[in-house]
């Protein structure tokens, strides 16, 4: 007898209420952001933020054992109760929040198929796509990441709204780029939180270049950071957009003679690196260039903060060789 559960109530539950019921309360607030001392790892300064309006959280202090840094209430619970399974975590949220989980038997399969069909339909509208440079908040965000010039022509400003759910009718904007399925991967800064989302189906992003040479990045910001340091590179590029898409990236990379890997220096990145090199043994780990940092973009931001006032917009020839490639 087949069973399924409806987790719509779980997805819409308040993260703040959830944490409160677990005994965790914000240390302070800034704008719409609530700051918590992370319950996912040891820390002395509150650096886990929750945006109650958006229903998202992000841990600025670093990775935990799960490798999950932010997301919705389910992502938070997956981190909190790691390594519990997805269904175990859903049941735990249900118990904590007193949200009943509806179980159905095979007699409800028609309704289940209809729910799946509705869920697969877009519940958002892309209102407009503009070139980078129109919205000052997006420009400021990209400047804060050190890749504003590299983003021009490689990212867009995406303006969108939701047609259903708690965000129905609300309008949003983000910097974005398309994956190989044509869906939009979104990034922005909301208060102190790094916002990440995808409009459509998740997939890798591929940029054609040298047919023999490939560079693989975990995130698009890391790719643009690397491009700032290596502006003349003609490598083909794969951006995972999620470590869960590693197998797709491996399949796409299989035909390249030379492969450089730039994965995050955390548990999830380490696992992805190991699995990638097990399948394609000639791939080279290039993370040494940002040793001491979590990823390429974090290193770039740190180096730019140390830049002398009279140095120009781009990294000087004296600094670049120390972490090129």
């Amino acid at each position: 007898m087949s069973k399924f559960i409806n987790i719509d109530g779980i997805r819409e539950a308040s993260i703040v209420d959830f944490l409160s019921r677990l005994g965790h309360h914000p240390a302070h607030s800034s704008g719409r952001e609530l700051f918590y001392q992370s319950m996912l790892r040891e820390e002395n300064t509150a650096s886990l933020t929750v945006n109650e309006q958006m229903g998202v959280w992000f841990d600025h202090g670093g990775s935990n054992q799960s490798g999950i840094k932010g997301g919705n209430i389910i992502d938070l619970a997956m981190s909190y109760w790691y390594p519990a399974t997805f269904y175990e975590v859903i049941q735990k949220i249900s118990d904590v929040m007193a949200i009943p989980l509806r179980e159905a038997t095979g007699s409800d399969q028609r309704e289940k198929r209809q729910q799946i069909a509705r869920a697969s339909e877009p519940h958002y509208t892309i209102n407009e796509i503009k070139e980078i440079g129109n919205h000052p908040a997006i420009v400021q965000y990209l400047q804060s990441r050190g890749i504003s010039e590299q983003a021009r022509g490689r990212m867009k400003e995406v303006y969108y709204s939701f047609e259903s759910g708690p965000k129905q009718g609300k309008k949003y904007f983000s910097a974005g780029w398309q994956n190989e399925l044509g869906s939009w991967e979104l990034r922005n800064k909301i208060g102190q939180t790094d916002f990440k989302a995808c409009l459509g189906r998740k997939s890798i992003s591929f940029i054609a270049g040298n047919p023999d040479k490939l560079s693989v990045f975990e995130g698009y910001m890391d790719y643009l950071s690397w491009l700032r340091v290596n502006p003349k590179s003609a490598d083909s590029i794969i951006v995972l957009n999620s470590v869960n898409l590693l197998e797709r990236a491996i399949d796409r990379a299989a035909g390249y003679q030379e492969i450089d890997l730039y994965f995050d220096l955390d548990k999830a990145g380490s696992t992805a690196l190991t699995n990638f090199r097990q399948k394609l043994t000639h791939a080279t780990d290039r993370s040494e260039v940002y040793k001491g940092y979590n990823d390429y973009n974090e290193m770039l931001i740190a180096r730019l903060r140390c830049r002398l006032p009279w140095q120009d917009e781009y990294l000087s020839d004296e600094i670049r060789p120390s972490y090129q490639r």
Side-chain angles (χ1 to χ4, degrees), residues 118-183:
R118 287 194 298 269
S120 64
E121 295 174 355
H123 60 285
Y124 58 86
T125 297
I126 296 178
N127 302 312
E128 194 170 7
I129 302 294
K130 296 182 180 181
E131 295 297 328
I132 294 295
N134 286 278
H135 201 294
I138 294 178
V139 173
Q140 184 178 12
Y141 168 65
L142 295 174
Q143 288 174 340
S144 74
R145 303 297 295 264
I147 44 83
S148 58
E149 290 302 318
Q150 288 68 36
R152 295 181 185 275
R154 299 180 179 90
M155 299 183 77
K156 303 290 184 182
E157 294 182 359
V158 183
Y159 298 80
Y160 59 100
S161 57
F162 290 96
E163 300 174 353
S164 61
K167 303 173 186 176
Q168 182 176 0
K170 294 183 178 180
K171 296 182 178 181
Y172 299 93
F173 59 86
S174 292
W177 67 95
Q178 288 183 288
N179 61 36
E180 66 175 359
L181 297 179
S183 303

Side-chain angles (χ1 to χ4, degrees), residues 70-240:
N72 60 24
I73 189 172
I74 297 176
D75 297 313
L76 179 59
M78 292 292 290
S79 300
Y80 190 82
W81 284 303
Y82 178 83
T85 67
F86 176 81
Y87 290 104
E88 290 172 342
V89 167
I90 293 298
Q91 185 61 61
K92 287 177 181 289
I93 300 175
S94 172
D95 294 340
V96 170
M97 302 297 290
I99 299 174
L101 295 176
R102 180 171 65 85
E103 289 192 359
T105 60
S107 61
D108 289 325
Q109 289 304 301
R110 176 176 298 177
E111 180 182 351
K112 177 182 177 181
R113 287 193 296 269
Q114 291 173 345
Q115 289 178 341
I116 293 174
R118 287 194 298 269
S120 64
E121 295 174 355
H123 60 285
Y124 58 86
T125 297
I126 296 178
N127 302 312
E128 194 170 7
I129 302 294
K130 296 182 180 181
E131 295 297 328
I132 294 295
N134 286 278
H135 201 294
I138 294 178
V139 173
Q140 184 178 12
Y141 168 65
L142 295 174
Q143 288 174 340
S144 74
R145 303 297 295 264
I147 44 83
S148 58
E149 290 302 318
Q150 288 68 36
R152 295 181 185 275
R154 299 180 179 90
M155 299 183 77
K156 303 290 184 182
E157 294 182 359
V158 183
Y159 298 80
Y160 59 100
S161 57
F162 290 96
E163 300 174 353
S164 61
K167 303 173 186 176
Q168 182 176 0
K170 294 183 178 180
K171 296 182 178 181
Y172 299 93
F173 59 86
S174 292
W177 67 95
Q178 288 183 288
N179 61 36
E180 66 175 359
L181 297 179
S183 303
W184 285 96
E185 304 283 344
L186 306 179
R187 297 294 183 271
N188 206 348
K189 192 82 168 181
I190 303 176
Q192 298 298 315
T193 302
D194 286 319
F195 171 73
K196 300 181 180 182
C198 179
L199 297 180
R201 292 176 57 193
K202 291 286 291 185
S203 189
I204 65 172
S205 295
F206 175 75
I207 302 169
N210 188 326
D212 298 318
K213 178 70 172 63
L214 176 72
S215 287
V216 184
F217 299 87
E218 193 170 325
Y220 203 78
M221 300 302 180
D222 297 319
Y223 155 57
L224 294 180
S225 301
W226 169 86
L227 190 64
R228 175 167 183 167
V229 180
N230 300 274
K232 297 181 180 179
S233 174
D235 296 9
S236 289
I237 302 295
I238 287 178
V239 178
L240 298 184

Side-chain angles (χ1 to χ4, degrees), residues 3-15:
K3 294 182 179 181
F4 70 96
I5 57 175
N6 186 332
I7 63 172
D8 289 345
I10 297 290
R11 288 197 185 99
E12 296 175 6
S14 164
I15 295 177

Side-chain angles (χ1 to χ4, degrees), residues 36 41 56 62 71 78 102 108 130 174 266 282 296 311:
Y36 291 78
R41 54 182 176 75
V56 296
M78 292 292 290
R102 180 171 65 85
D108 289 325
K130 296 182 180 181
S174 292
D266 56 18
H282 63 292
Y296 214 118
Q311 291 178 316

Side-chain angles (χ1 to χ4, degrees), residues 261-285:
L261 305 178
Y262 299 88
F263 293 163
D264 292 2
L265 292 175
D266 56 18
K267 183 175 181 179
S270 176
T271 300
L273 174 66
T274 299
N275 292 339
F276 197 108
R277 296 188 70 192
Q278 284 178 346
K279 297 291 183 64
L280 299 177
T281 57
H282 63 292
T284 302
D285 174 20

